[in-house]
Amino acid sequence: MENNDKIPLHVSIIMDGNGRWAKERGKERCFGHAEGVESVRSCTEEAIRKGVKYLSLFAFSEENWNRPEAEVNALMELMVKAMVNELPTFLKNGIRFIVLGNRARLDDSLNEMIDECMEKTAGCGNLSLVIFMSYSGRWDILQAAKKLALELAADPSRSAEVSGMGLEDFSRYLVTSGIPDPDLIIRTSGELRISNYLLWQCAYSELYFTDVLWPDFRAEEFDAAIQEYAKRDRRYGKVK
Ligand code: IPE
Ligand code: IPE
Ligand code: MG
């Protein structure tokens, strides 16, 4: 692990470009998704080596449900396969596995596997690997507001407490509660957008865009992003 205070605590990645990577090779889009799993492995190992404590990955958005059924199914199957294959490595390397998102939309069998993987790795402390599945930033803010509204409806005596709520209090209703906001958000494949990712949590994240397609984004590319992050001057609206 490197002793460097410029190492981000939380790195988040919008893993994009799998389809184009496959197309460039004359293959089906799913070939790119499968190769992308290798990039997840490589970046996870590198995150641990660098001393990053949280690595979060945008794996499947709420909008991605609108893709062809065969592609959605292939992505879900890949998730199952990756969990089965990687669990021993998670336990060996102290990786805590967490899945966040609209899990009600996932299959029961997938949810059972996710729960098992999360429970088995709950005590792991080297790195938290957070996978956003069926997630969108607007959905997250909406579900937080609904949860709060329902709590208040059930106990109107809390109205003064709710009126006095601050940003930190509200953020505890988001699915990312307990996880620090990302210091660095990386997006691969040359697209310059957030695509409804961590809208609340990205308020002061440093953004890093690269043309590299996700299946080609490995440890060296991860390091390049960390090096770029180290040069950034984070001011949070203040004067330095
Ligand atoms: C990212 O790659 C994976 C997911 C969004 C699930 P894409 O599948 O979006 O690949 P491109 O952007 O079409 O190349
Ligand atoms: C963003 O990629 C979602 C994930 C990486 C899971 P998309 O490929 O879905 O985003 P758009 O459609 O190009 O904005
Ligand atoms: Mg894409």
Side-chain angles (χ1 to χ4, degrees):
M1 195 201 291
E2 297 197 353
N3 180 19
N4 186 341
D5 60 2
K6 291 290 186 95
I7 295 292
L9 178 65
H10 180 177
V11 177
S12 193
I13 311 180
I14 302 173
M15 310 182 290
D16 199 12
N18 298 350
R20 279 163 281 170
W21 188 91
K23 199 175 172 201
E24 278 176 4
R25 286 156 183 80
K27 308 248 189 182
E28 296 288 316
R29 295 176 56 80
C30 294
F31 185 73
H33 297 316
E35 191 60 27
V37 176
E38 292 304 315
S39 296
V40 171
R41 197 173 290 130
S42 177
C43 289
T44 304
E45 285 170 6
E46 195 56 19
I48 294 177
R49 268 198 292 274
K50 290 285 170 201
V52 169
K53 285 296 177 190
Y54 295 84
L55 175 66
S56 61
L57 304 171
F58 200 10
F60 191 88
S61 72
E62 279 283 75
E63 291 78 13
N64 290 150
W65 287 111
N66 299 319
R67 292 191 178 196
E69 201 183 333
E71 182 170 350
V72 170
N73 290 341
L75 283 163
M76 296 299 154
E77 272 168 35
L78 214 53
M79 177 76 182
V80 170
K81 220 167 101 187
M83 275 192 294
V84 172
N85 288 342
E86 299 303 318
L87 182 59
T89 312
F90 292 161
L91 294 168
K92 187 169 119 245
N93 296 344
I95 299 170
R96 181 172 184 185
F97 180 79
I98 299 167
V99 173
L100 299 177
N102 189 0
R103 288 189 51 191
R105 291 187 81 174
L106 303 179
D107 273 359
D108 290 347
S109 59
L110 177 56
N111 271 323
E112 275 169 30
M113 288 193 68
I114 290 170
D115 283 340
E116 191 189 327
C117 212
M118 283 177 60
E119 278 158 26
K120 285 193 170 148
T121 62
C124 294
N126 276 346
L127 173 84
S128 291
L129 178 64
V130 184
I131 309 291
F132 285 95
M133 283 290 286
S134 193
Y135 180 86
S136 86
R138 286 182 175 177
W139 166 82
D140 194 2
I141 295 165
L142 179 63
Q143 69 78 34
K146 284 182 185 170
K147 219 190 291 169
L148 182 58
L150 290 172
E151 279 184 18
L152 185 60
D155 182 3
S157 73
R158 288 183 59 200
S159 65
E161 177 209 328
V162 172
S163 300
M165 268 177 74
L167 298 169
E168 281 301 316
D169 302 312
F170 182 75
S171 72
R172 275 194 277 279
Y173 286 83
L174 299 167
V175 292
T176 49
S177 175
I179 295 170
D181 288 344
D183 298 291
L184 171 65
I185 297 181
I186 299 168
R187 184 173 188 146
T188 60
S189 89
E191 307 299 352
L192 305 179
R193 54 178 172 261
I194 291 290
S195 296
N196 207 358
Y197 191 35
L198 297 165
L199 298 181
W200 173 282
Q201 300 86 341
C202 78
Y204 269 103
S205 303
E206 294 297 326
L207 306 178
Y208 178 88
F209 297 100
T210 170
D211 287 340
V212 176
L213 302 175
W214 176 247
D216 289 329
F217 192 95
R218 300 288 161 95
E220 313 83 72
E221 281 75 25
F222 188 85
D223 281 354
I226 302 262
Q227 278 174 33
E228 165 65 25
Y229 170 83
K231 292 187 214 147
R232 303 278 179 95
D233 183 17
R234 302 183 79 186
R235 290 189 292 277
Y236 301 98
K238 299 176 196 163
V239 176
K240 264 195 177 170

